[in-house]
Each structure stands twice: as C-alpha cells, then as structure tokens.
Amino acid sequence: MKFKRTERIGAIVKILSDNPNKIYTLSFFTEKFNAAKSTISEDLLVVKDVFEKLELGRVITISGAAGGVKYIPKTSIEENKQFLMELCEKINDDSRKLSGGFLYLIDLIYNPVIVAKIGKIFASNLDYSEADYVVTMETKGIPMALMTAKAMNLPLVIIRKDMKVSEGPTLSMTYVTGGSNKVESMSLPRKALKPDSKVILIDDFMRGGGTLKGMKDLMHEFGAKVIGTGVFISTTKPQQKMVEDYISLIELDDNGETTIAKPNFKRFKDEYRELQF
Amino acid sequence: MKFKRTERIGAIVKILSDNPNKIYTLSFFTEKFNAAKSTISEDLLVVKDVFEKLELGRVITISGAAGGVKYIPKTSIEENKQFLMELCEKINDDSRKLSGGFLYLIDLIYNPVIVAKIGKIFASNLDYSEADYVVTMETKGIPMALMTAKAMNLPLVIIRKDMKVSEGPTLSMTYVTGGSNKVESMSLPRKALKPDSKVILIDDFMRGGGTLKGMKDLMHEFGAKVIGTGVFISTTKPQQKMVEDYISLIELDDNGETTIAKPNFKRFKDEYRELQF
C-alpha cells in the first residue's frame, strides 16, 4: 500500500503519540509506509514542527545503532497553569466538603482525562531519564501513577496494604502514617523490582509524609533508589514533611475550618517558579 | 499563527487520538488553526482516511447542533489476535508458576502499554454507547479498567474492599467469592454514581464469578444497570459462572496440575468468532 505525505504524517503522529518515550527506527517507518528513508526523514521534520508549534511535547532524534525517533510528552506552562487553576476551583467547591474535614475527590482523581494530564505534568517535571519503575501504593494514587508510567514509558509497581499469598514470596513492612499516627503495613512481592533499580514514587496525597517515607524505606529494602517523588496534593501543615525533594501539584491550606486548594508552582522545576502567585 | 496542511493534519490526529470519544466541533479547529471551515473539512477527510487505512480506529462525523467529529478507538482483528497470542505465551511461561497453583501476572496487568491495549480491545467489543461509567473493584483490575474508561471517554468508579470514612456516606455489602467461598465486603460512596446509571463492569480475573455477581448486586443497590461486562482472564472451571453475558479475553484451562492460557475469541463479538481455534 502507498501513502500520501499527509497520511504518513498523520499516522506517524498517532504512533508516536500513543507510545511516549518509545524509540522507533527509521526502518520501522520505511517498511510500514513502503517509502524511502529520505521521504520519512522529511516527514519526521514536519512531525517535529507540529509538536513544537502546538506545544504538544517534543520529538527527538537519537543517533547511533539503537537510534531512531521518540516522542517525549511535555506540557506547556500555560496549559498546566490553566489546568491546575480549573482543578483547584473544582476542589474548592463547597459541595466537596465532607464531615470530619475530608474532601470528596475520587471523581476527579479517578477521571481518565484528568489523570492523563496529571501523568503528563509529572513526566514534564520529574527527571526519569534513569528510572526503571514508577511505584505507587494502593488505591487512590493508582490511576495517576499509571498515567505517569504511561507518559514515562515505564512499568508500574503497586505496593499493597495487605500481603497477598497469590503473588509469591513477599516483603512486608510496617510504617507510621503522619496524619493519624497509626501503624499500617505495606507489602510487595520480591519479584516486583529488579536489583539496583531506580524508581519514581507517585502518590495522591501527602500530609506528614509518613506513607511516602514508608514507601522510600521499602524501596531501600529492595535495594532500590528513589530518584524522584511526585505528589498530587500536599497540605501546608505540617510544614515539616518526613520526605524532601518532592514536587506537589496542588497545596491544600487548612486554616482550622476552611480548606483552600492552590496550584503549588513553587515546588515545580525552575521554569514554573515564575508563575508563583 | 498559520499552519500548513501537513501540520494541521498532524495536530488534528494528535488531539483526536489523545481524547477518544470526545466530540470536537468544526469551529474548534477553525479557531485553533486560523483556517476556513472548508479547509478543515478537507483536513478531516484525510484524517479519516489515515485512521481507516492503518486500522487505527474510526473518525466519525456527528451532525446537528452538538455535532462535530470524534475518534472511536477500534483495534483490528489481526492486531488483537497477535497481541493476545503473545500475551498468552508470556502467561504460559514456566517462571510465572507460583506454589499453590497461582500465576504471577502483576508485571503484565500493571504494564501501561499492555493495559492500554486491553482497554482498547474492551472498547472495541463492548457496546458502551449508553454507558455512564466504567466500574471496577480494587486492586488488580484498576489499571485495565482505567484504560478502558479512557478509551470509552467515561468516568471510572472503583469499588473498595473496606469502607472509607473519608469519602462520605457509603453503601457497603457482603458477597461470597466463588473460588474460596469466603465472605468479603465491598463498599462505594453514595455520591459515586448518579441515579439510574448504566455501567460497564471490568475485572481482571473470574473463576466462579462471585465478585462480579457482588458488583452487579451493588450496582442494583445504587439503582444502576450493568449493560456490559469485560473480564481479562476467566477460567474454564467451573463452567457455570455466577454471571452471564460477559466477554473474557483469555481463558485459563487448569487441568489439575497444568494451566494453559488461550485467547478466548468465542466470547467476543461476531467478527471474532471466526478466529476460534
């Protein structure tokens, strides 16, 4: 089958966009479209332009034997700003306030469109170039962690609260949650991580940071190193968290009776700091 | 900013592909690309061709006041066949066998690339035209259920095993698991579903069907109707399941000591039946 230039470009965009951070060789496209290398090279230049002009991310060329092109998801500052502002507006809606000071958020953090965006923002602001896995703990952080793993093209690992006999030998650990000072347990099958792995931790909520500290300790038991941490919502209090070097997208300020969510650009990469307000 | 035809087409493909089942009006594109309606209409014809020629799904036009175009993910029969065959080969690998007759599968069912594909296959084989939600139960089915919800452009609802006080008034229920005959509980916040909803159930594994039956009963308590059920793996025994009208992608045959996984095309839509082997 023969393809027109416009068709090839549409198809290349679809393939790259569906498979972030996966390297495609020039030969992959020449075979798929039955076209010359020079033709595909020209197509790829157009594709790169499309992504840059519309700030859809970057398409980069990797030279060498294992070379090719890959698409790196990258959200624009303006886009993130608008997205997080709108999300905070929803979070701050009075109808979300539950008794006990809790907020009803699961419709937002289980929403595929929202978590896909959150995943891309994490991928745009955490350095995962050396990471082997994205790690989260069940349950509420799973959707956003999966989308982060998708954007980073990494496997996802889910820490369970209870030990599952159906997953083979398992390493379990107790930890103290910062908020309620309760002792909880977490466990992960021995086979879940290769030795000497580097991991990115993702979680939906952090108050004291006890859960994330526990996750970090568990990684240590596996001989794995945490090289980046992303949290969706962190609270202003306590100011002192049990983990450092994390980014959080939204900060929740609870001054006694009112809670207000705000985009938390101060914890983003440098390019975001200017947006602080 | 002005865009060339090739650039517009690349961008339209990216936008549609990232947002399955979302309707975009012609005006959305004319404004975004600063182009005439006739120009965009021609672009869209090319985009439709790309998707059809490469079997990437369908782009359809919706007429009327709320009209526009939308992308419907659709996997090809050949593609599904190859994907499920390869997946079964991995599942049948001896290294996955754990003591107690269990299989180690979490690296596969948490893998973003694999679950994205599973989600698209469910979306290609379940009728969700009237569905309001995709519903799953924690934990292992969440990644594939999220990707199914993404492909269907529906919100995801996750049933928890324990009641969470932090999510407001909750409806809880007990059910009997088919496999182990244990009594378990499931619960869901009252706010999670609108009244009179129609839902698609997704789960990773079914033996007797007790969990899915429990999910169906819980939906009934919410006044919701199950209009489709997708299971990743079902077992050959017991032949009689507690639910009917489900599709399952893989069938696991456990004849005493050996377990063999096979693609389960007989439960697919008509077009798949011919592939039975």
Side-chain angles (χ1 to χ4, degrees):
Chain A
M1 212 191 303
K2 272 283 180 188
F3 295 85
K4 293 180 207 140
R5 157 142 297 176
T6 46
E7 291 174 337
R8 287 195 309 269
I9 287 170
I12 293 171
V13 168
K14 177 86 170 82
I15 292 164
L16 291 178
S17 164
D18 277 356
N19 301 282
N21 279 297
K22 181 169 170 181
I23 298 172
Y24 286 93
T25 60
L26 219 55
S27 338
F28 173 84
F29 293 118
T30 56
E31 279 164 34
K32 190 157 188 89
F33 302 122
N34 189 19
K37 278 204 172 185
S38 56
T39 310
I40 296 294
S41 295
E42 281 174 48
D43 292 348
L44 288 172
L45 287 178
V46 179
V47 169
K48 281 185 192 190
D49 265 5
V50 174
F51 280 85
E52 261 162 51
K53 254 172 124 167
L54 285 153
E55 301 193 74
L56 299 169
R58 283 191 308 137
V59 173
I60 63 160
T61 307
I62 296 118
S63 50
V69 290
K70 69 172 181 177
Y71 156 60
I72 302 175
K74 194 113 186 63
T75 52
S76 74
I77 300 183
E78 254 323 300
E79 188 188 354
N80 291 356
K81 188 182 162 183
Q82 205 194 327
F83 169 73
L84 291 174
M85 295 285 286
E86 284 172 12
L87 204 50
C88 285
E89 218 169 282
K90 284 182 190 154
I91 294 173
N92 290 329
D93 192 291
D94 275 345
S95 68
R96 298 196 167 273
K97 297 203 163 38
L98 300 171
S99 58
F102 295 109
L103 287 175
Y104 187 83
L105 298 176
I106 51 176
D107 57 327
L108 302 176
I109 62 174
Y110 294 168
N111 182 300
V113 177
I114 292 176
V115 289
K117 195 80 171 227
I118 293 172
K120 279 183 190 161
I121 299 181
F122 280 139
S124 302
N125 289 280
L126 290 165
D127 181 1
Y128 56 95
S129 51
E130 301 202 337
D132 302 296
Y133 302 95
V134 169
V135 178
T136 191
M137 186 159 155
E138 62 180 354
T139 298
K140 289 199 247 181
I142 297 175
M144 63 183 69
L146 179 73
M147 288 305 193
T148 307
K150 178 92 168 64
M152 295 178 174
N153 193 25
L154 292 174
L156 174 68
V157 169
I158 301 174
I159 300 170
R160 303 291 295 260
K161 279 169 191 149
D162 303 308
M163 200 190 66
K164 300 289 155 189
V165 287
S166 57
E167 283 160 22
T170 292
L171 207 154
S172 298
M173 223 187 65
T174 54
Y175 68 102
V176 179
T177 59
S180 50
N181 263 319
K182 273 197 303 191
V183 177
E184 307 263 8
S185 68
M186 51 171 78
S187 68
L188 194 59
R190 285 243 69 123
K191 292 174 78 164
L193 296 172
K194 286 174 302 183
D196 301 316
S197 296
K198 296 196 171 80
V199 308
I200 301 282
L201 299 183
I202 297 291
D203 210 0
D204 60 308
F205 195 84
M206 172 167 76
R207 192 174 298 274
T211 304
L212 276 161
K213 171 73 166 50
M215 288 164 74
K216 202 178 158 187
D217 292 345
L218 184 64
M219 291 301 103
H220 184 74
E221 289 299 319
F222 273 81
K225 197 182 162 196
V226 176
I227 59 167
T229 301
V231 178
F232 177 52
I233 296 182
S234 62
T235 55
T236 47
K237 288 177 203 165
Q239 222 182 345
Q240 190 69 29
K241 309 291 191 198
M242 290 168 80
V243 288
E244 287 172 358
D245 293 328
Y246 63 91
I247 63 165
S248 98
L249 306 191
I250 289 174
E251 198 173 51
L252 198 67
D253 191 351
D254 45 357
N255 283 317
E257 40 192 278
T258 57
T259 56
I260 299 160
K262 279 185 199 165
N264 191 25
F265 296 114
K266 71 173 177 290
R267 285 236 161 233
F268 276 37
K269 274 193 182 167
D270 279 344
E271 51 181 324
Y272 289 91
R273 297 239 167 89
E274 60 193 89
L275 284 175
Q276 186 61 25
F277 49 97
Chain B
M1 210 191 305
K2 272 284 180 187
F3 295 84
K4 292 181 207 139
R5 158 142 294 174
T6 46
E7 292 174 337
R8 286 195 309 269
I9 287 170
I12 293 171
V13 169
K14 175 88 172 84
I15 291 164
L16 291 178
S17 164
D18 277 357
N19 301 282
N21 279 297
K22 181 170 170 181
I23 298 172
Y24 287 93
T25 61
L26 219 55
S27 338
F28 173 85
F29 293 118
T30 56
E31 279 164 35
K32 187 154 192 92
F33 302 120
N34 190 19
K37 278 204 171 182
S38 57
T39 310
I40 297 295
S41 294
E42 281 173 48
D43 292 348
L44 288 173
L45 287 178
V46 179
V47 169
K48 281 185 192 190
D49 265 4
V50 174
F51 280 84
E52 260 162 53
K53 255 171 124 167
L54 285 152
E55 300 193 76
L56 299 169
R58 283 191 309 136
V59 173
I60 63 160
T61 307
I62 296 119
S63 50
V69 288
K70 69 172 182 177
Y71 155 60
I72 302 175
K74 196 111 185 63
T75 52
S76 74
I77 300 183
E78 254 324 300
E79 189 190 353
N80 291 356
K81 188 182 163 185
Q82 204 194 328
F83 168 75
L84 291 175
M85 295 284 286
E86 284 172 13
L87 204 49
C88 284
E89 219 168 281
K90 284 183 190 154
I91 294 172
N92 290 329
D93 191 291
D94 275 346
S95 68
R96 299 197 166 272
K97 299 204 161 39
L98 301 170
S99 58
F102 295 109
L103 287 175
Y104 187 85
L105 298 176
I106 53 176
D107 57 327
L108 302 175
I109 63 175
Y110 294 168
N111 182 301
V113 178
I114 292 175
V115 289
K117 195 80 172 227
I118 292 172
K120 279 182 191 162
I121 299 180
F122 280 140
S124 302
N125 290 281
L126 290 165
D127 181 1
Y128 56 95
S129 52
E130 300 203 335
D132 301 296
Y133 302 94
V134 169
V135 177
T136 190
M137 185 160 157
E138 63 181 352
T139 297
K140 290 198 247 181
I142 298 175
M144 64 183 68
L146 179 73
M147 289 305 193
T148 306
K150 178 92 169 65
M152 295 178 173
N153 192 26
L154 292 174
L156 174 68
V157 169
I158 301 174
I159 300 170
R160 304 291 296 259
K161 279 168 190 151
D162 303 309
M163 199 190 66
K164 301 289 155 190
V165 287
S166 57
E167 283 160 21
T170 292
L171 207 156
S172 298
M173 221 188 67
T174 53
Y175 68 101
V176 179
T177 59
S180 49
N181 263 319
K182 274 197 302 192
V183 177
E184 308 262 7
S185 69
M186 52 171 77
S187 68
L188 194 60
R190 285 242 69 123
K191 293 173 79 166
L193 297 172
K194 287 173 301 183
D196 300 317
S197 295
K198 295 197 172 79
V199 308
I200 301 283
L201 300 183
I202 297 291
D203 209 0
D204 60 308
F205 195 84
M206 173 167 76
R207 192 175 299 274
T211 304
L212 276 161
K213 171 72 165 51
M215 289 164 75
K216 200 178 160 188
D217 292 345
L218 185 63
M219 291 302 102
H220 184 75
E221 290 299 320
F222 273 81
K225 197 181 162 197
V226 177
I227 59 167
T229 301
V231 178
F232 176 52
I233 297 181
S234 63
T235 56
T236 47
K237 291 177 201 166
Q239 221 182 345
Q240 189 69 29
K241 310 290 191 198
M242 291 168 78
V243 289
E244 285 172 0
D245 292 328
Y246 63 92
I247 64 165
S248 98
L249 306 192
I250 289 173
E251 198 172 50
L252 198 66
D253 192 349
D254 45 357
N255 283 315
E257 39 192 278
T258 57
T259 56
I260 299 160
K262 280 185 199 164
N264 191 25
F265 296 114
K266 71 173 177 291
R267 285 235 161 235
F268 277 36
K269 275 192 180 167
D270 279 344
E271 48 182 326
Y272 290 90
R273 297 239 167 91
E274 60 194 89
L275 285 175
Q276 186 61 26
F277 50 98

